[in-house]
């Protein structure tokens, strides 16, 4: 296993032997505050998302940085489901697309605002990035911005309903709603009222129900995920965040 750290003074990733339960070494990075670590699907390399500095490429077996890619201050990384593209959100307001086959940056898409999480469509052909007050849609085949979907202040994450091309966007601002998006046409369908500053939205395995947590409120909202309508607000205590469904038998 590899572990980064958010140290502003020194940058490194640490190797852990999970069989012997011990640290086996570390590698100094070219950047600092290493947040996300993403392995290529063959396990040969790892992209290191430095919040301060360049995007590093690590040779996992040789334990050395092969090179730094020209993507600055990008701690937030995601790999496309097919393993072909690495996406990196830069604090400088753009999303970079890296070709895993060539290990090169093939596009930088200007977003013009603070960026949040990166998610993908069910077919893996599109990426969704929270940007300012919108959900930016990236066409991964054309390596270009396709459209923007209004979604509320500080759109955090897109959560896809199991088995359907429909998703919910949570907003970490002061809004009291989530946005429902049709992922086939990339348009907002409706808004569902919730508590203030939504964080997570997870669905039952059969896709019939959803539960939405709120960072700045006392409630979690249970919804009918087929009709995309609120059922009830449930008081769970201040700042509900993580949640998990008990799997069906």
């Amino acid at each position: 296993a590899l572990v980064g750290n958010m140290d502003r003074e020194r940058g490194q990733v640490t190797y852990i032997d999970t069989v012997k339960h011990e640290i086996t070494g570390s590698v100094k990075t070219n950047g600092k505050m290493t947040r996300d670590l993403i392995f290529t699907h063959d396990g040969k390399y790892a992209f290191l998302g430095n919040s301060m500095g360049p995007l590093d490429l690590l040779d996992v077996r040789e334990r050395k940085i092969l090179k730094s890619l020209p993507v600055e201050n990008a701690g937030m990384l995601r790999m496309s489901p097919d393993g072909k593209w690495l996406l990196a959100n830069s604090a400088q307001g753009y999303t970079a697309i890296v070709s895993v086959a060539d290990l090169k940056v093939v596009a930088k898409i200007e977003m013009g605002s603070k960026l949040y999480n990166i998610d993908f469509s069910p077919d893996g052909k599109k990426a969704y990035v929270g940007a300012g007050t919108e959900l930016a849609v990236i066409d991964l085949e054309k390596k270009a911005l396709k459209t923007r979907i209004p979604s509320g202040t500080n759109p955090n994450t897109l959560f896809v309903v199991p088995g359907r091309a429909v998703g919910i966007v949570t907003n970490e601002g002061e809004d009291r709603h989530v946005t429902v998006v049709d992922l086939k046409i990339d348009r907002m369908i409706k808004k569902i009222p919730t508590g203030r500053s939504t964080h997570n939205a997870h669905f039952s395995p059969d896709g019939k129900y959803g539960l939405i947590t709120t960072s700045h409120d006392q409630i979690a909202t249970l919804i009918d995920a087929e009709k995309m309508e609120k059922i009830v607000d449930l008081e769970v205590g201040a700042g509900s965040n993580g949640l998990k469904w008990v799997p069906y038998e």
Side-chain angles (χ1 to χ4, degrees):
L2 292 178
V3 180
N5 64 53
M6 296 296 283
D7 194 324
R8 289 177 175 269
E9 301 302 322
R10 61 172 185 169
Q12 72 174 39
V13 291
T14 300
Y15 280 71
I16 297 176
D17 186 321
T18 57
V19 176
K20 296 181 179 179
H21 307 162
E22 62 186 22
I23 292 173
T24 61
S26 63
V27 174
K28 185 180 184 303
T29 58
N30 291 330
K32 299 174 183 177
M33 297 182 68
T34 308
R35 176 182 156 164
D36 288 349
L37 311 175
I38 304 291
F39 286 91
T40 55
H41 283 193
D42 59 12
K44 292 181 179 180
Y45 306 107
F47 293 96
L48 311 181
N50 297 313
S51 301
M52 296 173 60
L55 174 67
D56 285 334
L57 180 68
L58 174 72
D59 184 313
V60 176
R61 183 178 294 276
E62 297 298 324
R63 300 193 179 195
K64 67 179 182 180
I65 303 295
L66 288 182
K67 62 179 179 178
S68 292
L69 301 175
V71 181
E72 304 83 6
N73 306 336
M76 191 174 295
L77 313 177
R78 285 292 301 277
M79 180 73 74
S80 63
D82 59 10
K84 293 181 178 180
W85 312 107
L86 178 93
L87 273 67
N89 279 349
S90 169
Q92 296 185 9
Y94 65 82
T95 298
I97 302 178
V98 179
S99 168
V100 175
D102 301 327
L103 300 176
K104 294 180 179 179
V105 178
V106 296
K108 288 185 178 180
I109 301 173
E110 294 294 334
M111 297 295 188
S113 56
K114 184 177 179 180
L115 304 181
Y116 292 86
N117 287 326
I118 304 166
D119 301 286
F120 296 93
S121 60
D123 61 9
K125 294 182 179 180
K126 294 176 291 187
Y128 296 88
V129 179
T133 60
E134 300 169 314
L135 188 69
V137 185
I138 297 174
D139 185 322
L140 289 178
E141 293 179 337
K142 296 181 179 179
K143 314 297 181 300
L145 183 65
K146 180 182 179 183
T147 189
R148 294 176 183 264
I149 306 169
S151 56
T153 308
N154 302 346
N156 182 40
T157 307
L158 171 70
F159 297 90
V160 180
V161 181
R164 294 170 58 196
V166 177
I168 279 180
V169 184
T170 57
N171 306 293
E172 291 204 330
E174 296 298 300
D175 299 337
R176 296 177 180 271
H177 72 265
V178 291
T179 301
V180 182
V181 176
D182 184 325
L183 302 179
K184 291 182 179 179
I185 59 175
D186 292 321
R187 290 184 183 177
M188 179 181 71
I189 301 173
K190 63 193 300 186
K191 295 178 180 178
I192 301 175
T194 63
R196 184 162 51 96
S197 186
T198 53
H199 188 77
N200 277 320
H202 286 203
F203 301 96
S204 58
D206 61 7
K208 290 184 177 181
Y209 300 99
L211 194 60
I212 301 160
T213 57
T214 52
S215 298
H216 297 164
D217 219 327
Q218 303 276 340
I219 63 173
T221 300
L222 181 68
I223 68 168
D224 181 323
E226 294 179 327
K227 298 179 179 179
M228 282 296 170
E229 295 177 353
K230 178 196 287 193
I231 297 174
V232 67
D233 288 330
L234 302 167
E235 188 165 338
V236 296
S240 59
N241 193 319
L243 62 93
K244 200 72 176 178
W245 285 88
V246 177
Y248 289 175
E249 294 181 354

Coordinates of all heavy atoms in Angstrom, one line a residue, residues 14 29 31 44-45 52 60 67 73 78 89 100 126-127 133 153 161-162 169 171 185 191 198 210 222-223 228:
T14 N 4.7 6.9 1.5 CA 5.3 5.8 2.3 C 4.8 4.4 1.8 O 3.6 4.3 1.5 CB 4.9 6.0 3.8 OG1 5.4 7.2 4.2 CG2 5.4 4.9 4.6
T29 N 8.7 13.1 -3.0 CA 8.0 13.6 -4.1 C 8.5 14.9 -4.6 O 9.2 15.6 -3.8 CB 6.5 13.7 -3.8 OG1 6.3 14.6 -2.7 CG2 5.9 12.4 -3.5
G31 N 6.5 17.3 -5.3 CA 5.6 18.3 -4.8 C 5.4 18.0 -3.3 O 6.0 17.2 -2.7
K44 N 1.8 -0.8 -12.5 CA 3.2 -0.5 -12.7 C 3.5 1.0 -12.2 O 4.6 1.2 -11.7 CB 3.6 -0.5 -14.2 CG 3.6 -2.0 -14.7 CD 4.0 -2.0 -16.2 CE 4.1 -3.4 -16.8 NZ 4.5 -3.4 -18.2
Y45 N 2.6 1.8 -12.3 CA 2.8 3.2 -12.0 C 1.7 3.7 -11.0 O 0.6 3.1 -10.9 CB 2.8 4.1 -13.3 CG 3.8 3.6 -14.3 CD1 3.3 3.0 -15.5 CD2 5.1 3.8 -14.2 CE1 4.2 2.6 -16.5 CE2 6.0 3.4 -15.2 CZ 5.5 2.7 -16.3 OH 6.4 2.3 -17.3
M52 N 0.4 20.9 -3.6 CA 1.4 21.9 -3.9 C 2.5 21.4 -4.8 O 3.2 20.4 -4.4 CB 2.1 22.4 -2.6 CG 1.1 23.1 -1.6 SD 1.9 23.4 0.0 CE 3.2 24.5 -0.5
V60 N 6.3 2.2 -9.4 CA 6.0 1.5 -8.1 C 7.1 0.5 -7.7 O 7.5 0.5 -6.5 CB 4.6 0.8 -8.2 CG1 4.3 0.1 -6.9 CG2 3.5 1.9 -8.4
K67 N 8.9 11.0 -13.6 CA 8.9 12.4 -14.1 C 7.7 13.1 -13.4 O 6.9 12.5 -12.8 CB 8.7 12.4 -15.6 CG 7.4 11.8 -16.1 CD 7.3 11.9 -17.6 CE 6.0 11.2 -18.1 NZ 5.9 11.3 -19.6
N73 N -0.6 21.8 -8.7 CA -1.5 21.9 -7.6 C -2.8 21.1 -7.7 O -3.9 21.6 -7.5 CB -1.8 23.4 -7.2 CG -0.5 24.2 -7.1 OD1 0.6 23.7 -6.8 ND2 -0.6 25.5 -7.3
R78 N -8.8 11.3 -10.4 CA -9.7 10.1 -10.6 C -9.3 9.4 -11.9 O -8.9 10.1 -12.9 CB -11.2 10.5 -10.7 CG -11.8 10.8 -9.4 CD -12.0 9.7 -8.5 NE -12.8 8.6 -9.0 CZ -14.1 8.5 -9.0 NH1 -14.8 9.5 -8.5 NH2 -14.7 7.5 -9.5
N89 N -7.9 17.6 -11.0 CA -8.4 18.9 -10.8 C -7.3 19.8 -10.2 O -6.8 19.6 -9.1 CB -9.6 18.9 -9.9 CG -10.9 18.5 -10.6 OD1 -10.9 18.5 -11.9 ND2 -11.9 18.2 -9.9
V100 N -3.0 7.6 -20.1 CA -2.3 6.6 -19.3 C -1.3 5.8 -20.2 O -0.2 5.4 -19.8 CB -3.3 5.6 -18.6 CG1 -2.5 4.5 -17.9 CG2 -4.1 6.4 -17.6
K126 N -18.1 10.0 -20.2 CA -18.2 11.4 -19.8 C -17.7 11.5 -18.4 O -17.9 10.5 -17.6 CB -19.6 11.9 -19.9 CG -20.1 12.0 -21.3 CD -21.6 12.5 -21.4 CE -22.5 11.5 -20.8 NZ -23.9 11.8 -21.0
A127 N -17.1 12.6 -18.1 CA -16.7 12.9 -16.7 C -17.5 14.1 -16.2 O -17.8 15.0 -17.0 CB -15.2 13.2 -16.6
T133 N -20.9 26.8 -9.3 CA -22.3 26.6 -9.1 C -22.9 25.6 -10.1 O -24.1 25.5 -10.2 CB -23.1 27.9 -9.1 OG1 -22.9 28.5 -10.4 CG2 -22.6 28.9 -8.0
T153 N -24.7 25.9 -5.1 CA -23.4 26.4 -4.7 C -22.5 25.2 -4.3 O -22.9 24.4 -3.5 CB -23.6 27.3 -3.5 OG1 -24.6 28.3 -3.9 CG2 -22.3 28.0 -3.2
V161 N -27.8 6.6 -9.6 CA -28.7 5.6 -9.1 C -28.4 4.3 -9.7 O -28.2 4.2 -10.9 CB -30.2 6.0 -9.5 CG1 -31.2 5.0 -9.0 CG2 -30.5 7.4 -8.9
P162 N -28.3 3.2 -9.0 CA -28.0 1.9 -9.5 C -28.8 1.5 -10.7 O -30.1 1.6 -10.6 CB -28.1 1.0 -8.3 CG -28.0 1.8 -7.1 CD -28.5 3.2 -7.5
V169 N -26.8 15.4 -7.5 CA -25.6 16.2 -7.2 C -25.8 16.9 -5.9 O -26.8 17.5 -5.6 CB -25.4 17.3 -8.3 CG1 -24.2 18.1 -8.0 CG2 -25.4 16.7 -9.7
N171 N -24.6 19.5 -2.8 CA -24.0 20.9 -2.8 C -23.5 21.2 -1.4 O -24.3 21.2 -0.5 CB -25.1 21.9 -3.2 CG -25.7 21.6 -4.6 OD1 -25.0 21.6 -5.6 ND2 -27.0 21.2 -4.6
I185 N -29.1 13.0 -21.3 CA -29.1 14.3 -22.0 C -28.4 15.4 -21.3 O -28.3 16.5 -21.7 CB -30.6 14.8 -22.3 CG1 -31.3 14.9 -21.0 CG2 -31.3 13.8 -23.2 CD1 -32.8 15.4 -21.2
K191 N -35.2 19.6 -8.6 CA -34.5 19.8 -7.3 C -35.4 19.1 -6.2 O -36.6 19.2 -6.2 CB -34.3 21.2 -7.0 CG -33.3 21.9 -7.9 CD -33.2 23.4 -7.5 CE -32.3 24.1 -8.5 NZ -32.1 25.6 -8.2
T198 N -25.8 19.8 1.6 CA -25.8 18.3 1.4 C -24.4 17.8 1.1 O -23.6 18.4 0.5 CB -26.8 17.9 0.2 OG1 -26.4 18.7 -0.9 CG2 -28.2 18.2 0.6
G210 N -33.3 6.4 -1.6 CA -32.0 7.1 -1.5 C -32.0 7.8 -0.1 O -33.0 8.1 0.5
L222 N -34.7 11.1 3.4 CA -35.0 9.8 2.7 C -35.9 10.1 1.5 O -36.8 10.9 1.6 CB -35.8 8.9 3.7 CG -36.1 7.5 3.1 CD1 -34.9 6.7 2.9 CD2 -37.1 6.8 4.0
I223 N -35.5 9.6 0.3 CA -36.2 9.9 -0.9 C -36.7 8.6 -1.6 O -36.1 7.5 -1.4 CB -35.4 10.7 -1.9 CG1 -34.2 9.9 -2.4 CG2 -34.9 12.0 -1.3 CD1 -33.5 10.5 -3.6
M228 N -38.0 10.1 -7.6 CA -37.1 11.3 -7.2 C -37.9 12.3 -6.4 O -38.0 13.5 -6.8 CB -36.5 11.9 -8.4 CG -35.3 11.1 -8.9 SD -34.0 11.0 -7.7 CE -32.9 9.8 -8.4

